[in-house]
Amino acid sequence: MLRNVYLKTLRDSRRSILYYSIGSVAIGLYVTLFYPTIRDATGFTEFLEQLPEAIKALMGDAETYTTAEGFLNAEIFSFMGPMVFGIFAIIAGMGAIAGEEESHTLDQLLANPISRTSVLLQKAGALMTGLVGLSIALFVGLIVGSKIAGFSLSITGTAQGILSLYMLGITLGLIALAVGAATGRKGLAGGVAAAVGVVGFLLDTFLSIVELLDPARFISVFYYFNNSDVIINGINLVHFLTLVGISAVAIAVSVWRFEKRDLSN
Amino acid sequence: MTAAISTAALTKFYGEHRGVIDVDLEINMGEVFGLLGPNGAGKTTCIRMFFDFIRPTSGTATVLGLDSKSDSVEIRRRVGYLPGDFVTYEKLTALELLEYFANLRDGNMTRARVLAERFNLDLSRRIGELSRGNRQKVGLVQAFMSDPEFLILDEPTTGLDPLLQQEFHKLVLEEARAGKTLFVSSHVLSEVEIICDRVGIIRDGLLVTVEEVSVLRERALTRVEIEFADNVSAADFEAVEGVTDVEVSNHLFVCNVTGSVNSLIKAAANHTVNKIQSGQPGLEEVFLAYYDSANDRVDGGGSDAA
C-alpha cells in the first residue's frame, strides 16, 4: 500500500472509507426496511398533497412518494445520500493537498522525484476510488434491504441514482481539492466546497419555491445531481455531463494553480 | 565541468518581504559547501528554490546543470534533501516511511537498512513517537539512502545531541571522500568549519562573501589573554600589527588578533609574561567580524569577494 501516492492516500483513508461505507449500507438498509410502513399506511398520499410547498419541495413528488423508487428518491437521493457522500468527499478533497501542506509533509513528499501534477492526480484518483467504495456499499444496502423487506426495486434505476450521487460526491470533493491546491488552506477548501453543497441544496429545494430564486437553481450542483429524479427517470445525460464538466474544470484549475504557486513550509 | 549549483541574480521576495536578493553562487562538483548565516538570512529560501518548492521572483538557478523550474523532477531524482526539522507522516513507522520514499525512487532499501543500523535507529517505531533526534535520523537515512551524487542539507544537526552531531559529521566527511557533493546550511559555525571546503556567508538576504574555509580561518580573530608580571599600558600594544580591541586592567591584558599572533608575542616579550592564553581561532569570530558592520575589524578582502 506504499507503492505510490495513490495507494498511500487510499491507505491513509482506509478507516474513513470503511466507516462511511458502513454508514452507506446502514442508510440503505434503514430506508428500505422502513419503506413498507409508508407504502401500507392508508391515506399517506392524500396527507402529502396537503403539505406546504416548502415541505413538498424537500420530499419530492407526492404521487411517487409511496412507490419504492419515489420513496428512495425522496429519502436517500435528496438528503441522506448527498450528505454522507458529500461530507466524505469534501474531507478527502480538502486534505489532499492543503492537508499535507498544513501538516508540513508536502515538502518532504515533493523532495522525491515526482511532479506536483502527478501527486495531485493520484490524490484525486484516490478520492474517486474511495467514493466507489461508498457507492457499492449504498447499492448493496438498498438491494439487500429491498429483498429483506420483500419489495422489488429497479436495479438499473438504483444504479443510475447512485452513479449520479457518485458524480455529486466527485464534484464536491474536487472543488475542495481545487481550492486547497490553489491556496494551501484546508479550512477554506472545506468551507467553499461545503457552501457549494449547502447552497446548492437550498436552491434546489426550499428556495426554488421563491419565484425570484427559481432560475438560480441552474447554478446548483443539486439541480444537476437529481432534479430529474434519476432513480425514477434514469440519468439525464446533460445534467450528468454538467457535473463531469465541473469536475474536469476543478481538476484543470487545481493542476494549473498548484503547479504555479509557492508551497508554504 | 557542470556546476553542482549555479545561480544568477537569484532573487526571492515573499510579497513585500525579502527572501534573498541577487545571489550569485557557483558550487563545484565534489565540493562540500557551507552556507552560513543567522536565522532568517535566506538560507532556507535558497534551498527551497533549488528544490522548486518555491519559485524565484527573478534570476535563475541550476542544479547539476538542470533548470530548477523546468527540470525539477530530474533534480530531485539526483539530489538528496534533509531539512533541519524533518517533518513527515507521523502515523507511519520509520520503516514504512523509508519504504514509501524508496518506492517513489528506485525501490532500493539496501542502503537505508545499513544507515539505520549505523545510526542505531529502531525502524519499527512510528514517526510520531520518535524523539526529535531519532526523527532527524530518519530524515538523514531518507536523504542518503538513494546514494545521491549531491546532497542538500538545511541545518541538518539542529537539535541533535553532540554525539549524534559527530556521527553525522563523520558521515558527511565519508561522503565527501567518496566524491559526493554536499551543500550544508548552518548557523552552527564550528560545524561548517569541520565539514566544509568553502563557505558562503549570507546576511539579510545578501550573499556577503564566499571564501575557502582556510582563508577565513587565516582571517579569524584570536582572542589572547596575557597576564604580565607588572602593569602594562594599552598604548604599548595598540600599534602592534593585527591587534585590536585592547583592554588592560593592571597587569591583565586582553585583545583580539587578526591572523598571526607573531607580532604580539614579540611585543609582549618586552615585558615579563606570567601566563598566556588564547582561544582557538574559530569561524565564530570571522562570522561576527562580518556581521559587526559597526566595527570595521575586517577590511578589504571580505567585501571585495562579495
Side-chain angles (χ1 to χ4, degrees), chain B residues 213-278:
Chain B
V213 168
S214 54
V215 172
L216 283 185
R217 200 177 277 144
E218 261 167 42
R219 192 181 289 149
L221 294 179
T222 312
R223 189 165 181 80
V224 179
E225 282 182 35
I226 304 174
E227 196 187 310
F228 292 101
D230 310 304
N231 287 359
V232 291
S233 84
D236 295 346
F237 294 96
E238 264 163 358
V240 175
E241 193 194 333
V243 171
T244 49
D245 307 311
V246 175
E247 283 170 47
V248 172
S249 70
N250 300 325
H251 42 189
L252 197 66
F253 167 92
V254 183
C255 74
N256 286 324
V257 182
T258 310
S260 165
V261 295
N262 187 42
S263 306
L264 174 64
I265 297 299
K266 292 205 163 129
N270 295 328
H271 306 266
T272 309
V273 176
N274 282 349
K275 195 170 155 193
I276 183 160
Q277 261 188 323
S278 93

Side-chain angles (χ1 to χ4, degrees), chain B residues 99-112:
Chain B
E99 279 175 349
Y100 181 38
F101 282 180
N103 286 334
L104 297 179
R105 293 179 179 270
D106 55 4
N108 191 338
M109 284 286 290
T110 318
R111 193 154 194 252

Side-chain angles (χ1 to χ4, degrees), chain A residues 178-248:
Chain A
V179 176
T183 64
R185 291 166 61 193
K186 195 174 158 184
L188 182 70
V192 169
V196 168
V198 170
V199 172
F201 173 76
L202 294 176
L203 283 176
D204 197 50
T205 52
F206 301 112
L207 296 178
S208 65
I209 317 161
V210 183
E211 235 169 276
L212 190 67
L213 285 173
D214 192 49
R217 56 166 49 188
F218 294 105
I219 63 161
S220 159
V221 285
F222 269 73
Y223 175 82
Y224 299 102
F225 152 57
N226 201 36
N227 189 268
S228 55
D229 302 324
V230 176
I231 188 171
I232 299 165
N233 303 318
I235 288 269
N236 177 321
L237 201 59
V238 173
H239 288 185
F240 186 78
L241 289 178
T242 304
L243 292 182
V244 173
I246 295 171
S247 302

Side-chain angles (χ1 to χ4, degrees), chain B:
Chain B
M1 194 161 101
T2 318
I5 282 179
S6 173
T7 70
L10 188 63
T11 299
K12 179 68 188 175
F13 276 88
Y14 304 97
E16 296 282 293
H17 295 280
R18 183 257 327 141
V20 294
I21 301 164
D22 280 339
V23 170
D24 292 303
L25 188 59
E26 198 73 30
I27 297 170
N28 305 316
M29 292 304 290
E31 176 169 42
V32 181
F33 186 89
L35 187 62
L36 205 55
N39 293 328
K43 304 188 294 290
T44 300
T45 296
C46 286
I47 289 173
R48 295 188 84 234
M49 281 192 279
F50 299 155
F51 283 102
D52 197 39
F53 299 150
I54 54 175
R55 307 277 158 71
T57 307
S58 63
T60 57
T62 65
V63 179
L64 300 170
L66 301 159
D67 183 78
S68 71
K69 286 196 285 188
S70 52
D71 303 323
S72 175
V73 173
E74 182 59 19
I75 289 174
R76 288 179 272 135
R77 189 184 314 284
R78 291 168 60 185
V79 183
Y81 169 61
L82 175 62
D85 191 10
F86 179 71
V87 179
T88 188
Y89 309 109
E90 301 210 325
K91 286 180 184 162
L92 296 186
T93 66
L95 181 65
E96 287 169 341
L97 178 85
L98 293 172
E99 279 175 349
Y100 181 38
F101 282 180
N103 286 334
L104 297 179
R105 293 179 179 270
D106 55 4
N108 191 338
M109 284 286 290
T110 318
R111 193 154 194 252
R113 290 182 189 283
V114 171
L115 287 168
E117 191 146 325
R118 169 171 177 177
F119 284 95
N120 207 3
L121 179 65
D122 180 1
L123 291 178
S124 65
R125 302 271 303 274
R126 281 178 195 274
I127 306 280
E129 297 167 353
L130 295 176
S131 67
R132 176 109 167 69
N134 279 321
R135 196 150 41 85
Q136 200 65 9
K137 283 186 196 174
V138 179
L140 191 145
V141 172
Q142 65 82 35
F144 285 81
M145 70 179 176
S146 63
D147 203 12
E149 61 199 287
F150 184 21
L151 284 135
I152 296 183
L153 314 170
D154 190 8
E155 310 233 11
T157 60
T158 319
L160 295 190
D161 63 69
L163 228 70
L164 193 55
Q165 282 186 21
Q166 247 177 36
E167 189 63 22
F168 172 79
H169 294 154
K170 243 174 77 185
L171 177 66
V172 168
L173 292 172
E174 279 171 29
E175 292 290 301
R177 267 197 295 279
K180 306 290 175 58
T181 309
L182 290 105
F183 179 103
V184 185
S185 88
S186 187
H187 63 268
V188 184
L189 309 152
S190 53
E191 167 168 280
V192 166
E193 191 179 7
I194 294 167
I195 60 181
C196 296
D197 308 321
R198 253 181 354 135
V199 176
I201 292 181
I202 187 166
R203 174 177 61 174
D204 296 337
L206 296 166
L207 188 65
V208 180
T209 184
V210 176
E211 278 293 4
E212 303 275 329
V213 168
S214 54
V215 172
L216 283 185
R217 200 177 277 144
E218 261 167 42
R219 192 181 289 149
L221 294 179
T222 312
R223 189 165 181 80
V224 179
E225 282 182 35
I226 304 174
E227 196 187 310
F228 292 101
D230 310 304
N231 287 359
V232 291
S233 84
D236 295 346
F237 294 96
E238 264 163 358
V240 175
E241 193 194 333
V243 171
T244 49
D245 307 311
V246 175
E247 283 170 47
V248 172
S249 70
N250 300 325
H251 42 189
L252 197 66
F253 167 92
V254 183
C255 74
N256 286 324
V257 182
T258 310
S260 165
V261 295
N262 187 42
S263 306
L264 174 64
I265 297 299
K266 292 205 163 129
N270 295 328
H271 306 266
T272 309
V273 176
N274 282 349
K275 195 170 155 193
I276 183 160
Q277 261 188 323
S278 93
Q280 280 291 315
L283 276 177
E284 190 96 34
E285 283 75 17
V286 178
F287 188 70
L288 290 175
Y290 273 107
Y291 279 74
D292 200 350
S293 45
N295 190 340
D296 194 20
R297 282 185 293 203
V298 176
D299 48 78
S303 35
D304 283 348

Side-chain angles (χ1 to χ4, degrees), chain A:
Chain A
M1 287 304 274
L2 293 166
R3 288 226 62 80
N4 53 43
V5 176
Y6 168 74
L7 289 173
K8 160 76 164 53
T9 309
L10 276 183
R11 181 188 190 278
D12 288 343
S13 53
R14 63 192 186 276
R15 281 202 186 81
S16 156
I17 293 173
L18 177 69
Y19 297 150
Y20 278 86
S21 295
I22 291 172
S24 299
V25 172
I27 59 169
L29 287 174
Y30 163 70
V31 168
T32 43
L33 295 179
F34 190 63
Y35 168 63
T37 317
I38 298 293
R39 179 192 56 197
D40 301 338
T42 50
F44 203 81
T45 313
E46 290 75 14
F47 164 70
L48 286 175
E49 274 166 357
Q50 287 161 14
L51 287 175
E53 285 297 317
I55 305 296
K56 274 199 225 166
L58 185 62
M59 297 196 60
D61 200 346
E63 266 114 67
T64 59
Y65 191 76
T66 49
T67 69
E69 286 78 15
F71 183 70
L72 292 190
N73 191 42
E75 294 299 325
I76 292 287
F77 293 102
S78 59
F79 189 68
M80 274 192 265
M83 181 123 126
V84 172
F85 279 51
I87 291 175
F88 171 84
I90 289 172
I91 289 175
M94 66 199 256
I97 299 296
E100 285 233 16
E101 203 162 352
E102 286 192 0
S103 53
H104 309 289
T105 55
L106 192 58
D107 263 26
Q108 209 58 53
L109 174 62
L110 283 171
N112 293 293
I114 177 168
S115 71
R116 293 186 190 187
T117 298
S118 170
V119 167
L120 191 146
L121 293 179
Q122 292 190 53
K123 287 194 171 261
L127 189 160
M128 295 180 198
T129 308
L131 277 171
V132 169
L134 271 64
S135 301
I136 293 171
L138 179 59
F139 185 75
V140 168
L142 290 174
I143 297 301
V144 170
S146 70
K147 297 273 183 259
I148 296 172
F151 65 92
S152 73
L153 188 60
S154 160
I155 300 250
T156 53
T158 305
Q160 289 183 62
I162 292 177
L163 182 61
S164 189
L165 179 59
Y166 173 75
M167 208 53 231
L168 176 72
I170 299 276
T171 306
L172 292 173
L174 291 183
I175 288 172
L177 189 146
V179 176
T183 64
R185 291 166 61 193
K186 195 174 158 184
L188 182 70
V192 169
V196 168
V198 170
V199 172
F201 173 76
L202 294 176
L203 283 176
D204 197 50
T205 52
F206 301 112
L207 296 178
S208 65
I209 317 161
V210 183
E211 235 169 276
L212 190 67
L213 285 173
D214 192 49
R217 56 166 49 188
F218 294 105
I219 63 161
S220 159
V221 285
F222 269 73
Y223 175 82
Y224 299 102
F225 152 57
N226 201 36
N227 189 268
S228 55
D229 302 324
V230 176
I231 188 171
I232 299 165
N233 303 318
I235 288 269
N236 177 321
L237 201 59
V238 173
H239 288 185
F240 186 78
L241 289 178
T242 304
L243 292 182
V244 173
I246 295 171
S247 302
V249 169
I251 284 280
V253 169
S254 306
V255 169
W256 171 51
R257 290 314 308 162
F258 188 46
E259 278 289 347
K260 273 220 166 358
R261 75 180 171 91
D262 286 351
L263 306 180
S264 63
N265 192 353

